[in-house]
Amino acid sequence: MEITWYGLSCFRLKEGNTVVLCDPFDKKIGTLPKVRADIVTISSNGGTKRGTSNGANGSEGDYAKLITGEPMFFNGPGEYETHNVFISGMSTYQKLPGSEEIERNTSFFFEMGDFIVGHLGALGEVPKQSQIESLKISEVDILLVPVGGGSMLDPTHAVEIVGMLEPKLVVPMLYSQDGFSASWVQTLEPVDKFLKELGFSEPESQTTLKVSKSGLPDETQVVLLEKS
């Protein structure tokens, strides 16, 4: 499994020859490089303005011209299978920035080869245990979790969902970082607050996460990725 981070909640997941691109963002948010993808998932069309419709093959934003190949688009809850990847989309919610309005978010779980990777998207609430159990997935190997607060999980609630899912590797996302023009990004908490809450010292960052199934740790570890 190879995971590359483009910032915020945008990740490239590659297992074998299959590539999944999660949460591409448009030019109003920041700069996204050209990426070849077989599958594209959009977790939310709220505060981050990603995607505009529900279900499979939903309409794309202006980032679509940066995605090469002939990808399938998914931006709603449900169960999907394509390119030998089984996708479970769980319906969750977030509050829009500066508003009490509730926006739907979809947390996606991917069964890719021997791995299960969870991408929680712009998750703003800790889901119920019954929601997790309804996914009918085995243990999560890698969890991509928002930690910066705002309309999304704050460090305390991010730690809570890590405890629920007990992944082998945790990759924080959606925390304060430079290089993005959207003002809401700068209102997010830094990642060190999440690490302190979780009880971890800050690990050395990596440009890309490359891991085999046999190379996964026995106990939960945190991986910090550098924005590509």
Side-chain angles (χ1 to χ4, degrees), residues 151-228:
S151 63
M152 296 157 288
L153 294 182
D154 60 23
T156 300
H157 290 100
V159 169
E160 184 177 345
I161 196 167
V162 168
M164 290 174 66
L165 293 171
E166 298 183 329
K168 300 298 184 184
L169 295 176
V170 174
V171 181
M173 64 177 182
L174 284 167
Y175 53 84
S176 179
Q177 61 185 132
D178 297 328
F180 291 93
S181 55
S183 59
W184 60 266
V185 178
Q186 305 313 316
T187 68
L188 301 177
E189 301 278 3
V191 69
D192 59 348
K193 292 195 174 183
F194 166 72
L195 296 173
K196 183 177 180 180
E197 191 79 27
L198 194 61
F200 280 76
S201 58
E202 186 165 336
E204 185 176 347
S205 60
Q206 305 177 29
T207 54
T208 304
L209 171 60
K210 295 181 180 180
V211 64
S212 63
K213 184 74 173 183
S214 61
L216 291 169
D218 293 329
E219 297 184 356
T220 298
Q221 293 184 9
V222 175
V223 176
L224 285 186
L225 290 180
E226 298 173 6
K227 175 180 174 292
S228 295

Side-chain angles (χ1 to χ4, degrees), residues 79 90 109 127-138 164-165:
E79 295 183 348
M90 179 176 69
F109 294 82
K128 297 178 180 178
Q129 187 65 42
S130 59
Q131 289 178 274
I132 301 294
E133 292 171 355
S134 70
L135 292 171
K136 299 178 181 178
I137 58 175
S138 58
M164 290 174 66
L165 293 171

Side-chain angles (χ1 to χ4, degrees), residues 60-163:
E60 309 90 40
D62 67 6
Y63 51 74
K65 60 182 177 293
L66 298 173
I67 303 173
T68 62
E70 299 180 353
M72 293 284 290
F73 284 79
F74 300 92
N75 60 356
E79 295 183 348
Y80 314 101
E81 186 171 8
T82 183
H83 295 83
N84 295 317
V85 178
F86 186 76
I87 306 167
S88 297
M90 179 176 69
S91 182
T92 56
Y93 297 91
Q94 67 166 159
K95 283 186 178 180
L96 297 184
S99 169
E100 291 300 311
E101 184 180 351
I102 298 296
E103 179 73 29
R104 190 185 70 192
N105 172 75
T106 304
S107 295
F108 288 100
F109 294 82
F110 307 95
E111 295 185 42
M112 302 179 66
D114 294 330
F115 287 88
I116 294 180
V117 181
H119 181 278
L120 299 183
L123 179 65
E125 64 173 10
V126 177
K128 297 178 180 178
Q129 187 65 42
S130 59
Q131 289 178 274
I132 301 294
E133 292 171 355
S134 70
L135 292 171
K136 299 178 181 178
I137 58 175
S138 58
E139 63 181 21
V140 176
D141 296 306
I142 304 171
L143 185 66
L144 314 175
V145 56
V147 304
S151 63
M152 296 157 288
L153 294 182
D154 60 23
T156 300
H157 290 100
V159 169
E160 184 177 345
I161 196 167
V162 168

